[in-house]
Structure formats: C-alpha cells, structure tokens
Amino acid sequence: MNHGPISLFLVLCGVAVGAAQDEAGARLETVTEDVAQNSPLEALNWMVGQWVDRGEDSTINTKCSWTKNGKFLKRSFKVKIDEEVTLEGDQFVGWDPVAGQIRSWTFDSEGGIGEGVWIQDGNRWLVKASFVLADGSRASALNVYTHVDDDTIRWQSTNREIAGELQPNISEVTVVRQKEEKVSQESEKEESQ
C-alpha cells in the first residue's frame, strides 16, 4: 500500500462552547445533535468514528468526530510505516455559506496545508483537493470516498499532481471501522510506548 505524503481524510473540529457541566452539559449534547441533523454536513455523518486502513507495511488510522457545536467535522489521521508514525494531521470539514458548498481544510505534521471542495455523487463524495507542501510546492488531487456500509469506506486518489508533475493514481483501498474494544486496546498500546 503506497498512499504517498498526501493523505486526505475527513475530521471534525471541536469548538469550545461555554456551558455548565450538569444539566447544561446534557443540553449541549442535545443542541449538538439538533445542529448536526439540520446541517448540510449531516450527509457525512456516516464518517463519524474510528477507521483503519492496513497494508503490508503501513497503517492509516483516522478518528472522525463532530465539534461541540455541531458545525464542523474533525478528522485526525496518523500514517504509520513499519510501526513508526511518519505523518499525522487534522482535517476540518464545514459548510461554506458564501460558496454554498461543503469545504475542508487540512494541516499535516510536515507543515503542509490544504483545502478541498466536496461534491456528492450518490453514495460517493468527490473531493477536489489542493495543497501547499512544507517546501512551498503545490499539489492537487481528486479524492473519492465511497460509503459502502456503516463499517466500510472505499477511498482512492486520482488526477494527482505535485509541483506540476503528474503522479500515479492511488488505487482504491478499503477502510474499515474499528470496533470499540479494538480502539481501546490500541489507545492503551500507544500510551505505553
């Protein structure tokens, strides 16, 4: 599995909202659910959770969640090659009311920043992404997320370009939802390292 340095994944960002911890905390959860249900982002609710893509020598873990105000999705990702973290970052997805579309912003541990425009096509989302890499070079790609079922996403990246040079497409890979027990075990393992 060769994903390259540009791994675009959907992440919801948490925005702090002041509230008391008792009944106001319960009210905040209800408000968040209501906002998320009335948002154009609700169409991406199926991405919320923890996901993994395991290859022969690499693993990509992604955690996607709603922000506290329900206005954004935040996806945090880690790319490991031979059990060593080689790239990590966050992607925030939100509704752009001026453009009238879903957009994303990605920040990676190498200093790269990117943005994307999300277009729904049935059970697929096409993400036209552009990046500025840490060295200042520009990159772009068309990333495709296909919602197969509640526990499966297919992802591929096509029309890739870095510094004006075409790059090979990344073939479609299957990404699966991690079950709660597995997530707990992996979190404990990372904390002990």
Side-chain angles (χ1 to χ4, degrees), residues 5 86-89 106-114 131-137:
T86 59
L87 182 71
E88 57 189 319
T106 305
F107 307 91
D108 72 34
S109 58
E110 293 181 351
I113 57 174
F131 259 80
V132 176
L133 303 177
D135 65 3
S137 60

Side-chain angles (χ1 to χ4, degrees), residues 1-60:
M1 172 175 80
N2 179 11
H3 290 247
I6 302 175
S7 298
L8 299 177
F9 289 96
L10 177 66
V11 183
L12 287 179
C13 169
V15 174
V17 175
Q21 291 183 358
D22 49 48
E23 51 185 68
R27 184 180 60 79
L28 178 59
E29 289 176 19
T30 304
V31 169
T32 300
E33 290 171 12
D34 291 344
V35 170
Q37 290 174 359
N38 295 322
S39 166
L41 287 179
E42 175 60 25
L44 293 172
N45 192 49
W46 54 270
M47 292 186 110
V48 173
Q50 297 207 31
W51 300 86
V52 66
D53 169 16
R54 284 191 174 85
E56 289 179 26
D57 60 353
S58 63
T59 302
I60 300 173

Side-chain angles (χ1 to χ4, degrees), residues 4-5 58-59 78-88 109-110:
S58 63
T59 302
K78 273 188 189 178
V79 179
K80 291 183 180 179
I81 297 178
D82 295 327
E83 295 301 315
E84 183 179 329
V85 175
T86 59
L87 182 71
E88 57 189 319
S109 58
E110 293 181 351

